[in-house]
């Protein structure tokens, strides 16, 4: 009997977006580009990876935008009608790796 190896990486990511401004000299500014205020996002997550002999799998769970920051991405298509990006949201995922050889 072979053992299963578990890996528990804790994920902590931050997203810092500086304000985007169309003032001054901008060489690649779009025609409809407008000002976007800066924002900071904090994401937390955990991955559990179990690598067995026959079917390794990975379970992930976490929280995105932990601080419930109100923001609009600079390149959002919904920016002109003031629709915000998601607030705090939770996720859970399961990934199963199937090792099956195809015979031809």
């Amino acid at each position: 009997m072979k053992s299963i190896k578990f890996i528990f990486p804790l994920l902590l990511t931050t997203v810092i977006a500086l304000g985007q401004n169309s003032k001054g000299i901008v060489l690649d500014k779009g025609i409809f580009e407008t000002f976007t205020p800066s924002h900071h996002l904090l994401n937390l997550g955990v991955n559990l990876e179990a690598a067995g002999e026959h079917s390794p799998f990975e379970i992930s769970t976490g929280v995105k935008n932990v601080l419930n920051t109100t923001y609009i991405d600079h390149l959002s298509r919904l920016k002109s009608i003031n629709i915000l990006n998601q607030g705090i949201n939770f996720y859970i995922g399961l990934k199963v790796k199937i090792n099956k050889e195809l015979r031809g």
Side-chain angles (χ1 to χ4, degrees):
M1 181 173 156
K2 297 203 176 194
S3 64
I4 296 176
K5 176 179 79 173
F6 290 97
I7 302 171
F8 296 95
L10 175 65
L11 306 171
L12 174 64
T13 60
T14 60
V15 177
I16 299 173
L18 301 176
Q20 300 293 322
N21 195 342
S22 60
K23 296 177 182 174
I25 300 173
V26 181
L27 299 177
D28 59 349
K29 177 181 155 292
I31 296 171
F32 301 107
E33 193 169 357
T34 58
F35 172 76
T36 303
S38 61
H39 61 271
H40 178 256
L41 302 178
L42 180 66
N43 304 323
L44 290 170
V46 176
N47 285 349
L48 166 64
E49 183 178 339
E53 181 181 344
H54 297 291
S55 60
F57 65 92
E58 181 180 328
I59 298 172
S60 59
T61 184
V63 182
K64 291 187 176 182
N65 195 0
V66 173
L67 303 175
N68 201 21
T69 303
T70 302
Y71 73 102
I72 298 177
D73 277 334
H74 181 65
L75 297 177
S76 173
R77 293 177 185 255
L78 305 174
K79 182 177 172 183
S80 62
I81 53 177
N82 290 326
I83 294 182
L84 302 173
N85 284 60
Q86 292 180 353
I88 187 169
N89 57 82
F90 305 90
Y91 67 91
I92 186 166
L94 173 66
K95 185 191 309 184
V96 178
K97 299 175 186 172
I98 301 172
N99 296 326
K100 181 93 175 176
E101 292 184 25
L102 297 175
R103 295 182 181 170

